[in-house]
Amino acid sequence: MPAAAPVDHRLRALRLISSGLVLAALAFPACTSESPEEVVRRYVTSWSRGDAAVRATVSGPDAEQLVERIGVVRSFVAGRPRLVDHRRDGNEVSATVALPMKGGPELRLSIAVTVDGGRIRAEPTAFDRRLTSWREVRIESQSIPSGRLLDRFGAPLDERQRAALIDAVRPVFGERLGGGTAYQLWAGNEVLDAVEVVPAGDVTLAIDPAMESAALGAIGDKHGRALVVIDAATGEVVAFASDDADGRPLAVTAIPVGSVFKVATAAAALLEGRSPDDAVPCPAAAVIEERSVVNASQFDLGDLSLRRAFALSCNTSFAQLGVDLGGDAVVGAARSLGFDTRFAGVEPAAIDAPDSGEEEAAFGFGAAGIEVSPVILASVTATIGAGGIARAPSWVPTVSPGERVIEEGVAASLIEMMHDAVENGTAQRAAVEGVDVAAKTGTPRRIVDGVAVDDGLTVAVVRLDGRVFGVAAVVLEGDTGSKSAAPLIADFIRSISSKFPT
């Protein structure tokens, strides 16, 4: 294919139509109840209905020529034209119309529409090119593969590893990876329009092949699962295994976190001087600031230590803590730990500060619509595992000195409480003999087609071979985090621990 000048992927105005015509007044009466935007939509939609429909919208000396040209183009259109965007200024509307073409990407036509005295006037770009041989219009296209994703040692990822990562990293490295469909649109011997694809290039990620293999093995081939591992010493994403959720990788999608957010509430309590051994009440149910709160299975533990309330995930204890501490303190602790960290390619978290006592109660035990992606949850636990030093998550190999975000003693107390959850609490299924694992489970609830479903979620700090990793696992519709997500972390650890002496 002859070389083509690079153009934006949104494409410049469609030359095959717009550079060869000027529309005179359209015989399309303006309806007072119809906006100019709606008229534009009706006008371009008429193209797909045949020459008669197009002819009914056009008048003036160039009408027949325009109908003929649109008729030629129609044979290459793969779907109905659509209105992409518009900008309105009084009675004038500038719009972009997209034509999905066979064998190539969308072609886009910029038009301007004015409502003038009961008539609609559409004015594409000025008559600046003589186009001939319209009946010989053809499209030549070529599929260009994208670049390779390499692991940290320079080896190409296999197909399953690549499939797990490509949708997550393409928004970040799309230009470097290149790939896509290159095409040229010809009329006779003349190129009317062209798109050149960026040449493919490779991207070296921080992925550790052994850890990636263990993570993929842990989630298996079942749907609605994800497991992410971040190196606490660098912030590197060293393992990324993910199924899709609504067309996006689950691991980079912000999801409800449930009781995992008790990590933030516990941190807020510790930052205000409370001790893991301080007593807190844990009734089976309570009404706190008009919020009804119930423990799982309605267990009633009376008064117990903050450490045990955390390990057993007592909702009533943490709802009361949320009110006692206040929304600002809990949100501040969450942000210090990095629950709202922004990371390219990852959906931002949703953490809205509570503005009432009832919301503070819900916030305290993670039932206030808080949504965070598994990648960021792994980063949060990596920060705790690093003694309160945060390192920005990274897709590529990196070195980071990090930044202290919480006191080392607070981080140590959180680890102590997470150890108790593994040894004597809800995270026991994350335990692996001989491996230092500290974890917190969560069971966030969602409404799917009007039915409440429980997802399983677990985060962990894992120490292997003198290294510290933050891990997050999720199983959509997995019942509790204890039953579904915690075992995924244990499976991952068992698979990888043989390669990392404990």
Side-chain angles (χ1 to χ4, degrees), residues 227-239 251 260 263 334-343 346 372-394 403 405-406 418 458-461 468-473:
L227 190 147
V228 181
V229 183
I230 288 183
D231 190 329
T234 61
E236 298 168 340
V237 179
V238 293
V260 164
V263 170
R335 288 177 175 162
S336 294
L337 289 170
F339 275 88
D340 63 347
T341 295
R342 294 298 185 101
F343 182 29
V346 176
V372 185
S373 70
V375 167
I376 298 304
L377 292 177
S379 178
V380 167
T381 49
T383 294
I384 296 170
I389 296 177
R391 292 177 173 87
S394 175
E403 176 187 5
V405 293
I406 59 171
M418 293 170 73
T458 299
V459 297
V461 176
V468 181
F469 303 96
V471 185

Side-chain angles (χ1 to χ4, degrees), residues 80-213:
R80 295 170 70 93
R82 63 185 179 86
L83 186 64
V84 176
D85 56 39
H86 60 78
R87 296 163 301 283
R88 180 170 183 170
D89 183 10
N91 286 338
E92 296 184 358
V93 178
S94 297
T96 302
V97 176
L99 298 172
M101 305 295 281
K102 299 174 183 176
E106 286 185 334
L107 300 181
R108 300 200 172 189
L109 167 66
S110 296
I111 63 175
V113 172
T114 303
V115 178
D116 182 15
R119 299 172 70 85
I120 304 300
R121 184 180 300 278
E123 298 179 354
T125 54
F127 198 100
D128 59 0
R129 180 191 290 268
R130 295 180 181 178
L131 300 177
T132 58
S133 304
W134 276 84
R135 296 189 185 282
E136 299 178 25
V137 170
R138 68 186 187 279
I139 293 178
E140 295 179 357
S141 63
Q142 180 181 4
S143 178
I144 307 296
S146 62
R148 301 176 302 171
L149 295 180
L150 311 178
D151 66 28
R152 64 187 308 110
F153 303 115
L157 300 184
D158 65 29
E159 186 55 38
R160 189 180 180 207
Q161 293 169 330
R162 185 182 186 279
L165 277 158
I166 188 65
D167 289 341
V169 302
R170 182 169 283 284
V172 186
F173 303 109
E175 184 173 350
R176 192 188 310 178
L177 287 168
T181 301
Y183 84 95
Q184 289 182 324
L185 186 66
W186 293 77
N189 296 321
E190 184 175 13
V191 176
L192 305 180
D193 207 347
V195 166
E196 186 176 80
V197 173
V198 176
D202 295 339
V203 173
T204 299
L205 300 174
I207 292 296
D208 181 297
M211 288 201 159
E212 178 74 353
S213 178

